[in-house]
Amino acid sequence: MYLLENLLLNKLRTFAAGHHLFDKNTLVLIALSGGRDSVVLTHLLRILEQPMQWIHCNFQLRGVESERDEQFVHQWASALKVNLHTKRFDTNSYADINRCSIQVAARELRYAYFEQVRQSLAGPGKTVRVATAHHAGDSAETLLMHLFRGTGIEGLRGIPALHGTIIRPLLW
C-alpha cells in the first residue's frame, strides 16, 4: 500500500503544481460525497497536510444509501476534527419546478451551495477553492457526451483541471 500511496501522491503533487491548483496558503473545500473517489482525494490531501474543510450534499435520491453516506462523512469529520458543511436538498422538487433533469438539478444545487460556502470562507488575501474528485474517466465521458451532442471544435475537450474556483486534482 505504501508504494501505491506514494505513487498517487507524486502524481497528485505534479498535476496540482503543473495546473496551479493549490498551495499551502489555499484553503481547499473538498466536495466529499462519501464515495470512493472523494474519499481517496480527501485522504491524499490530508497526507499532504493541505488546509481543508469538507462539504457534503445530500440530494435525498438514494434513500438509505444517501443517509449512510451523510452519516459516514459526519462520523469521519468528527473523528478527525475537520470542519464540515452539509446541506440536504429536495432535488426532485427543484427538478420539477425548474423543468430539468435530476442530474442537472443536482449539479445546479451542488455548485450553488459550494459557491455559497466558499464565499463565506474567503476573505482578503485568503484563497479558497472547491475540490471535486473528478478523474480521467469522468473527463473522457464528458468529451464523449460533447461529441454525441454534436459539439463544435470548442466542445472537443473534457473537464478542465481548474475552472474558476473549482479544482479537479485527480484528472490525471
Side-chain angles (χ1 to χ4, degrees), residues 84-95:
L84 172 64
H85 309 269
T86 62
K87 187 162 186 176
R88 289 172 168 244
F89 296 99
D90 185 349
T91 312
N92 286 315
S93 292
Y94 181 92

Side-chain angles (χ1 to χ4, degrees), residues 2-160:
Y2 182 72
L3 289 174
L4 177 59
E5 192 172 79
N6 277 339
L7 175 67
L8 294 174
L9 286 168
N10 287 335
K11 284 188 169 276
L12 174 61
R13 275 189 200 102
T14 301
F15 185 81
H19 289 85
H20 309 287
L21 301 183
F22 56 83
D23 58 30
K24 288 294 183 188
N25 298 316
T26 305
L27 175 63
V28 176
L29 186 59
I30 300 177
L32 182 57
S33 68
R36 177 180 34 219
D37 298 338
S38 65
V39 169
V40 167
L41 174 61
T42 302
H43 176 71
L44 294 173
L45 290 180
R46 285 191 67 245
I47 291 171
L48 294 177
E49 298 180 351
Q50 181 64 40
M52 69 173 70
Q53 293 187 24
W54 300 349
I55 189 165
H56 176 79
C57 299
N58 184 338
F59 299 104
Q60 303 184 81
L61 296 172
R62 297 177 297 118
V64 173
E65 286 183 56
S66 292
E67 300 306 315
R68 207 175 312 139
D69 286 345
E70 184 176 356
Q71 183 179 20
F72 165 74
V73 171
H74 273 286
Q75 289 173 344
W76 197 25
S78 178
L80 298 177
K81 297 177 177 39
V82 174
N83 288 340
L84 172 64
H85 309 269
T86 62
K87 187 162 186 176
R88 289 172 168 244
F89 296 99
D90 185 349
T91 312
N92 286 315
S93 292
Y94 181 92
D96 288 344
I97 291 167
N98 292 282
R99 295 187 170 153
C100 61
S101 71
I102 292 294
Q103 292 83 2
V104 168
R107 184 181 323 110
E108 289 178 1
L109 291 166
R110 175 175 52 246
Y111 283 106
Y113 180 55
F114 291 171
E115 182 58 15
Q116 174 191 352
V117 173
R118 190 199 68 75
Q119 284 183 12
S120 76
L121 297 171
K126 187 172 184 182
T127 302
V128 180
R129 291 192 169 159
V130 177
T132 68
H134 290 105
H135 51 77
D138 297 318
S139 189
E141 181 181 315
T142 298
L143 174 63
L144 287 173
M145 283 177 24
H146 289 168
L147 281 171
F148 291 139
R149 289 182 182 156
T151 187
I153 287 290
E154 64 279 351
L156 291 177
R157 58 182 163 70
I159 303 169

